[in-house]
Amino acid sequence: MTDRKPFLVELDDTTAAASPDTAPPLPDDDGPPQQAATGHAMLLAMRGARTRITLWAKLGWGGLAGFITLALSVTAWDFVTRLVARNQALGYLALGLLVLLVAAACAMILREWAGIRRLHRIDRLRQQADHARTAQDRAEAAQTVAALMALYADRPDMRWPVGRMAEITPDQPDADALLDQAEATLLAPLDAAARLQVEAAARQVALLTAMIPLALVDVIAALVTNLRMIRRIAEIYGGRAGTLGSLRLLRGVITHLLATGAVAVGEDMVGAVASGGIVSKLSRRFGEGVVNGALTARLGIAAIEICRPLPFQTLPAPRTSAIMRRAVSGLFDKAS
């Protein structure tokens, strides 16, 4: 038999002192933990929506659209006339379908025009109310309130507020009291409905950002969600914006945000929404979701301020932190 020597392993001091308590934490799979969420999807969507088109670009796109429309119209008419010469039944059928297509296009154009006119009507009401309050003109304030009641007279959900406002209007002594009472009576239920739309949109954008890993897809999803939110807010306040009106409102809302400097989301607001830094304990995608949701909330608040026929005077204006707390209450657990 051969003598076997024992196999010894010498441990240094650092290896012997290692334990699970002193081991370094594992890296986050979603990225470095020190990288702060910036709301990349919402910022890109807002940047694309506020892109300005030059005059020559408008003329070029308008000329291209007109040329394509003319070419398609001539081609369709030649097709119908040749088909009538070959077979009258099929030719008249094609003519009827062409007339139906033109009628539908005209109806869509009229609807967009009517939506833009309603948005202008709300803008005039807001300007008239500001002028009546500044000049202390009770007659002009009464005209503004009468136009506001006429705007909501046909809506079943506004039947009681309109009736109540008609009863108390003669008792208001001056322009300020009349406009304040109109805001408290007519716009309070509309403000509550608009806040619900903003909360739903912020929650949806936060979820989409957290679940969709593709950068371009979450940008498109955020843009579509915000367009739908702005359109519904306009409908709540009586705007009923169409596609072009919604795009115009989106540009106006983003311009308002840039003018007021309310685009950036600070860490203090995110920490308040997340109840003491819970976002830092989750993945970076959830942090991006919260920031994108906060930007959506700010976009919705700006849309409320633009679509509202009267500015906030008596009623408190909605706040981003309060909206985000209610929006993400079902997404993140509260941390003590």
Side-chain angles (χ1 to χ4, degrees):
M1 294 180 61
T2 60
D3 297 336
R4 295 183 180 180
K5 296 182 179 181
F7 181 74
L8 300 178
V9 178
E10 294 184 359
L11 299 177
D12 55 3
D13 296 336
T14 58
T15 306
S19 64
D21 296 335
T22 60
L26 294 177
D28 191 1
D29 293 337
D30 291 335
Q34 68 273 10
Q35 186 176 0
T38 59
H40 182 69
M42 277 296 301
L43 292 178
L44 283 181
M46 293 169 62
R47 186 182 305 170
R50 67 185 173 100
T51 302
R52 294 182 177 273
I53 302 178
T54 62
L55 178 61
W56 289 108
K58 292 180 180 179
L59 293 176
W61 285 110
L64 179 61
F67 177 79
I68 293 176
T69 303
L70 180 62
L72 292 177
S73 301
V74 172
T75 303
W77 182 254
D78 291 341
F79 172 75
V80 170
T81 54
R82 289 197 301 267
L83 191 58
V84 168
R86 292 175 54 188
N87 190 323
Q88 290 187 355
L90 294 178
Y92 286 123
L93 177 60
L95 180 61
L97 294 176
L98 181 61
V99 171
L100 182 62
L101 178 62
V102 172
C106 293
M108 292 176 61
I109 293 174
L110 289 176
R111 184 178 180 181
E112 294 289 339
W113 177 74
I116 293 176
R117 280 182 58 87
R118 290 183 70 90
L119 293 177
H120 285 312
R121 182 182 179 182
I122 292 179
D123 290 338
R124 288 194 300 268
L125 283 176
R126 189 185 307 108
Q127 295 173 3
Q128 189 175 358
D130 290 337
H131 184 269
R133 190 182 292 273
T134 303
Q136 289 297 312
D137 191 345
R138 208 258 180 203
E140 187 176 6
Q143 293 178 359
T144 304
V145 173
L148 194 60
M149 290 190 295
L151 180 64
Y152 300 135
D154 297 334
R155 292 175 52 168
D157 58 331
M158 294 296 293
R159 187 171 303 168
W160 186 89
V162 170
R164 176 60 179 167
M165 192 63 207
E167 294 177 359
I168 62 179
T169 294
D171 299 332
Q172 306 305 316
D174 53 12
D176 287 338
L178 184 58
L179 292 174
D180 291 344
Q181 191 63 48
E183 181 184 1
T185 304
L186 296 177
L187 298 186
L190 302 182
D191 291 341
R195 279 194 296 268
L196 290 178
Q197 292 295 330
V198 177
E199 292 173 11
R203 186 182 304 111
Q204 185 175 2
V205 169
L207 277 173
L208 290 175
T209 305
M211 293 188 302
I212 299 178
L214 302 177
L216 182 59
V217 177
D218 61 3
V219 171
I220 296 175
L223 182 59
V224 172
T225 303
N226 281 272
L227 274 174
R228 184 169 61 249
M229 175 191 67
I230 292 175
R231 183 172 183 174
R232 290 177 178 175
I233 290 174
E235 291 176 354
I236 288 173
Y237 289 107
R240 296 179 186 176
T243 303
L244 296 179
S246 299
L247 291 174
R248 183 176 180 181
L249 273 176
L250 180 61
R251 290 178 59 87
V253 167
I254 295 176
T255 303
H256 177 74
L257 283 178
L258 294 176
T260 56
V263 176
V265 177
E267 292 294 333
D268 53 348
M269 195 277 293
V270 175
V273 170
S275 299
I278 190 173
V279 173
S280 61
K281 301 177 183 178
L282 300 175
S283 65
R284 187 170 56 88
R285 295 298 303 176
F286 284 98
E288 284 287 332
V290 173
V291 176
N292 287 328
L295 288 174
T296 300
R298 287 189 172 177
L299 202 69
I301 292 173
I304 290 175
E305 293 176 353
I306 290 178
C307 297
R308 205 172 187 261
L310 297 178
F312 285 100
Q313 293 289 336
T314 302
L315 300 177
R319 300 181 60 182
T320 306
S321 57
I323 288 178
M324 283 302 298
R325 286 192 187 99
R326 289 190 294 267
V328 303
S329 60
L331 302 179
F332 303 104
D333 295 330
K334 298 297 183 179
S336 58

